Amino acid sequence: MSPTVDTAVPAGEAILRRQRIRESAARTYARSFPIVPVRANGMTVEGADGRRYLDCLSGAGTLALGHNHPVVLEAIRRTLDSGAPLHLLDLATAEKDDFTTALFASLPPAFAAGARIHFCGPAGTDAVEAALKLMQTATGRRGALAFTGGYHGMTAGALAVTGNVAVKAPLPGGGEVTRLPYPYPYRCPFGVGERGAELSAAYTERLLDDPSGGVVPPAAMILEAVQGEGGVVPAPDGWLREMRRITAERGIPLIVDEVQTGVGRTGAMWAVEHSGIVPDAMVLSKAIGGSLPLAVVVYREQYDGWRPGAHTGTFRGNTLAMAAGAATLRYVEANGLVARAELVGARITARLDGLKARVPAVGDVRGRGLMIGVELVDPDGEPDSCGALPPDPQLAIRVREACLERGLIVELGGRHDAVLRLLPPLTIGDEQTEAVLDRLCEAVETAAAGPRR
């Protein structure tokens, strides 16, 4: 029997209705954006209803070059036309060799020299699992150091080092993790603002050295140089250097999660380059696949103590994703998109600082490169010891809706889902930048001036 087609409603609405009936309650972005995309080019997405949107979500940072960039499509077509096998487990292929060459050429030289790469399952969370297992194997230890506000994925080990309580609470514990305070000046865990980074470093060092501190020597420390899901919170460069010093002096491997920050997103090819630190492992995914699923962990060869098959999987490196990823990495480098991200990001931040000056509901504007966050607050609430006003997640939802009405896709994040997150493609043009800012500022001002729910 053929499926029943409801011709009484537009196709897009029918698809959305079937999605609500068929898909799990865990769906997220579909709830935020009730649209059915049918075409996409660059940062423009067209819905089934014919409306067009500027996409500042970019697949949660996956689309470094935007949707369907010609260099990505050409790499995919060339690979398909070549007759290359699309699935070979972890066998060597010309496409894998070329991707690895392009990736290593993009990494900080001090890290790339002598590094090893492990191809993981296609999601970043599996690369986090691999990195944790790698360091557990190398050190013979089990615990991990992780940070408040951190996000590393949804599988067991990655979830254990993730900070979000709401997603962890319904599940059994995922391992021994010591939670450390991440510098967040606007909502400082110590209540002292900018000085919080200094106190965080001092607390970490003293805790690890305290024989009664309760921390068994861990297998690794894992952190993000800019917390994405945690609210677009950049770590100070000096603090990152302190974490590197503290871990190096105590023989604790340092894992940096660059899943969202990598491939030019922060105004450096890799976010660790801002501080100059050399980690022991980097977790990479999202943009490295050129819009297709791909995830790897790159690490210093001294930790390569795995036995064959110690971390495996059927889909360890997709041929098309490796071809698209290599093309993306080279295009970003050749076309100055890293510097472009820094320049455009500064322009966006400056305009949003102006919005903050005239709209009291904008509590903080922060970020690095084209990874920008706008924290929305209740201007009538009581400020905390740092002067930060209470977060206003309901206002954030209204702003997101107002943005969508104006043809702009932005998503929320942060500790209370009150941070507007901007992740436009690195290829965003000047006119598009102004259009994004015009729509966003108008949406914020309109929502903030309207009646409270």
Side-chain angles (χ1 to χ4, degrees), residues 108-109 130 231 255 258 299 334 346 353 367 375 429:
I255 302 168
E258 290 255 17
Y299 53 93
D353 281 335
E375 185 157 354

Side-chain angles (χ1 to χ4, degrees), residues 311-325:
H311 192 85
T312 187
T314 303
F315 297 101
R316 288 176 48 190
N318 177 277
T319 300
L320 293 180
M322 289 186 286

Side-chain angles (χ1 to χ4, degrees), residues 29 55 57-63 229 259-260 265 286 421 423:
Y29 298 111
D55 182 5
L57 178 57
S58 299
T62 298
L63 304 172
E229 302 297 327
V259 167
Q260 193 166 105
R265 172 61 55 189
K286 292 192 185 292
R421 300 179 59 211
L423 294 162

Side-chain angles (χ1 to χ4, degrees), residues 65 69-72 325-337 427:
L65 305 184
H69 192 279
V71 75
V72 171
T328 297
L329 288 165
R330 292 186 173 117
Y331 188 90
V332 168
E333 191 73 42
N335 290 273
L337 295 188
T427 51

Side-chain angles (χ1 to χ4, degrees), residues 2 5 26 29 64 70 112 124-125 129 170 173 184 207 264 269 314 329 341 347 357 362 366-367 379 389 394 400-401:
S2 60
V5 177
Y29 298 111
T125 188
E129 298 283 349
Y184 182 3
L207 179 66
M269 192 66 178
T314 303
L329 288 165
R347 185 185 306 166
V362 178
R366 55 182 179 261
L389 292 164
Q394 292 305 311
R400 181 178 64 192
E401 292 172 350

